[in-house]
Amino acid sequence: MYKKLIWGTFFCSSFIVAADEHGNRNGEVSFDKSGEEYLVAGRDFVLLDKNGTEKKLLNRNGYTITTAKFSSDDSYIVALEGQTKQLKVLDKNGVEKASLRLNYAISSSVELHVTGYDSTIALSSNKQIYFYEYRDGKIVKRAELPFPDSTFINAYDISKDGKYIFVNDRRFIILKSPKTWIFKPAKSFVKVTGKIRKVRIAEDGSKVMVLHQNGRGVSLHNANTGDLIQSYMLTSAINEIECDDKLSKAYFNGGNLNLDTGRSEVSRKFPVGKMNMSADSSAYSVGSLIKRSNKVMDVKAPYQLFSTAKFTGDVLRVNELDKSYEINIETKSVSKVASKSFATGRFQGLVGQSSDGRYGVDASGRLYDYRQKAFVGRPLFGTGGFALAADISANGDIAFVASNKVYIYNYISKKSVKNFDLPVTLNSESQINVVLSPGSAHCAISYVDADASTEVLVYNLKSSRFSSLSRKVTAAKSLLFVSDDSLVIAGGKAILTTEYNGNKWVVNDSKSLLIESGALYKVVIDGNNVAGLNENGRIHLFDYLSGREVYTVALKDGKTSMRAVGK
């Protein structure tokens, strides 16, 4: 029998803004067993104390952490880098203890479990669950469970003792030996209707909760027999639900439900996000929000990112829509200034822009003048368009990157300059950057291949051949030619200077610059002044000759004053 539950007016709860040092934590929150520490995933992967104060930045390599959990005894951390497909074990200082490269696709909704006395690590991937153990300083793959009939794995949970697992509506007993794991399906399983969105097993293994009927049905079952104990029907569907260890109470975004009595309470609804529960059920999280004792703490700590940056002497001007700031390296001061009127026009589908922000170009090859608020010429590739990225040089040359070819066209003379083939096939997921040297002697292209590896190609437009780098780079979010023979590559924690020797582009480490945390997405250079824009919101200002970082600033989202921050 289903009991109808109706959600009413939200209760009020006060918001607390957590102290922060590193921002852009855009992932889920995970709790330790004692309730004393939190993990917050995202571009900046941080360890916080229970008050939200940052204790340690854990991913100084700059890679985004998709999801993370504490080990069963809270002594170490298991983290997943979705983009690089790396499963990592870290200590609480962020020191890597072990790493394993995964050879399967990582879903954006991947679910990570760390459970059992042996800290079994489980990861879901569409139609399979993979099992690992961290032993003797290594992550070892132990088994995989393909789901019967190639059905997608919508939800799963492992018992606290690691002896059995529920996948969707089925129960499997895990039989472990030193050499192999066997998954023995139980004779009976729970019977529910519609798509299952979540399953949770009680701490003692006696009961299982199932969120089914596309998020509207909540039912409680005997874990051994599958028999129905209690069921409830919600008036509106939910995506996420978590329970206390005894499965006596279920919490969801906007309320909670007593699974024994059917009594419900409603509360303030948060933005959509992945949900987790503390071990003692005193707190739960939705995305980057933590609710405890009717108080809500936001641990996201976001910072403003800027799309354009340009030096004028010792002053760096950064812009993003109506936000414009001037940062003086010499005086180490920041002032908010009026935004420029151009670069805010009606132009859509931008794939490239001039360094001063005046001109933009779209996938069809149309050039747009933001100052005149008008298109210049007609689409070069038809209204459908196929350009994936573009760059506009000061002499009027535009480099368009298509899937397997580069077209260079001068919009002033309205003539084709050069076309050349690429040795790879690119797409919209390839994270492409392209830049022309000042005299259009070279064209540099960076991209990320199917294996998440970064590649940089430099084409000599005079000799019509590619020149390679002296060594492989791990990231290339921004490319900038300082001259026809000097290319700067920014990405990850490095701003690398490369110099052309007539054959290769040689990385000159003595002229390269490093940041301590985060990952760079843009670099600007003028004479001896260098600015690196970081994906965690920091703007790093360097003296090029000495290599010193002389000033670091950031603007917290929602604030108007940009302030000096730590590196």
Side-chain angles (χ1 to χ4, degrees), residues 26-68:
N26 51 7
E28 64 177 306
V29 173
S30 298
F31 301 88
D32 73 346
K33 307 301 181 293
S34 66
E36 294 296 315
E37 293 179 323
Y38 307 139
L39 292 172
V40 188
R43 166 56 68 192
D44 281 332
F45 177 40
V46 295
L47 177 68
L48 310 179
D49 67 17
K50 64 180 179 181
N51 298 315
T53 303
E54 182 176 323
K55 296 179 70 174
K56 197 70 179 180
L57 175 68
L58 300 172
N59 66 330
R60 288 192 175 272
N61 62 8
Y63 289 115
T64 298
I65 298 299
T66 305
T67 182

Side-chain angles (χ1 to χ4, degrees), residues 473-528:
V473 298
T474 57
K477 287 280 187 165
S478 179
L479 305 174
L480 176 68
F481 278 103
V482 179
S483 67
D484 277 339
D485 295 323
S486 180
L487 171 66
V488 172
I489 303 170
K493 295 192 296 181
I495 300 175
L496 301 176
T497 296
T498 68
E499 297 168 339
Y500 187 53
N501 65 5
N503 183 38
K504 288 186 176 182
W505 291 84
V506 180
V507 178
N508 188 336
D509 290 318
S510 66
K511 293 184 178 180
S512 297
L513 308 170
L514 294 174
I515 60 172
E516 291 187 10
S517 65
L520 296 162
Y521 69 92
K522 191 177 187 67
V523 63
V524 184
I525 299 176
D526 182 41
N528 196 40

Side-chain angles (χ1 to χ4, degrees), residues 295-508:
K295 293 183 178 180
V296 178
M297 179 167 62
D298 186 354
V299 296
K300 189 174 184 180
Y303 282 84
Q304 176 68 52
L305 302 183
F306 295 90
S307 58
T308 63
K310 184 180 179 180
F311 274 111
T312 303
D314 291 329
V315 176
L316 175 73
R317 184 183 180 117
V318 292
N319 297 277
E320 180 60 35
L321 298 177
D322 60 341
K323 298 179 179 66
S324 293
Y325 291 82
E326 289 186 347
I327 307 163
N328 192 305
I329 299 179
E330 183 68 26
T331 62
K332 294 183 174 57
S333 61
V334 183
S335 58
K336 192 175 189 298
V337 295
S339 298
K340 291 185 177 180
S341 59
F342 66 91
T344 58
R346 62 186 178 88
F347 188 67
Q348 301 294 322
L350 189 73
V351 295
Q353 197 170 19
S354 59
S355 60
D356 62 1
R358 176 173 175 176
Y359 295 103
V361 64
D362 71 359
S364 70
R366 289 187 304 174
L367 186 73
Y368 188 77
D369 186 332
Y370 285 102
R371 182 176 292 167
Q372 301 297 326
K373 296 183 179 180
F375 289 105
V376 180
R378 296 182 178 182
L380 296 177
F381 309 120
T383 55
F386 58 84
L388 299 171
D391 179 56
I392 307 171
S393 69
N395 66 1
D397 285 347
I398 308 175
F400 296 95
V401 180
S403 61
N404 53 14
K405 199 163 189 172
V406 175
Y407 302 84
I408 299 177
Y409 172 86
N410 189 285
Y411 74 87
I412 298 174
S413 66
K414 298 182 181 179
K415 292 181 179 180
S416 174
V417 177
K418 189 90 172 182
N419 301 331
F420 60 90
D421 294 323
L422 294 172
V424 294
T425 299
L426 305 175
N427 57 49
S428 58
E429 303 297 321
S430 301
Q431 302 178 36
I432 305 164
N433 289 290
V434 59
V435 64
L436 288 163
S437 66
S440 293
H442 300 278
C443 178
I445 304 128
S446 68
Y447 61 91
V448 175
D449 63 20
D451 295 324
S453 177
T454 298
E455 300 291 342
V456 178
L457 305 173
V458 186
Y459 189 80
N460 189 316
L461 295 169
K462 294 180 180 178
S463 63
S464 299
R465 66 182 181 90
F466 285 103
S467 301
S468 61
L469 301 184
S470 60
R471 70 168 186 255
K472 187 175 177 61
V473 298
T474 57
K477 287 280 187 165
S478 179
L479 305 174
L480 176 68
F481 278 103
V482 179
S483 67
D484 277 339
D485 295 323
S486 180
L487 171 66
V488 172
I489 303 170
K493 295 192 296 181
I495 300 175
L496 301 176
T497 296
T498 68
E499 297 168 339
Y500 187 53
N501 65 5
N503 183 38
K504 288 186 176 182
W505 291 84
V506 180
V507 178
N508 188 336

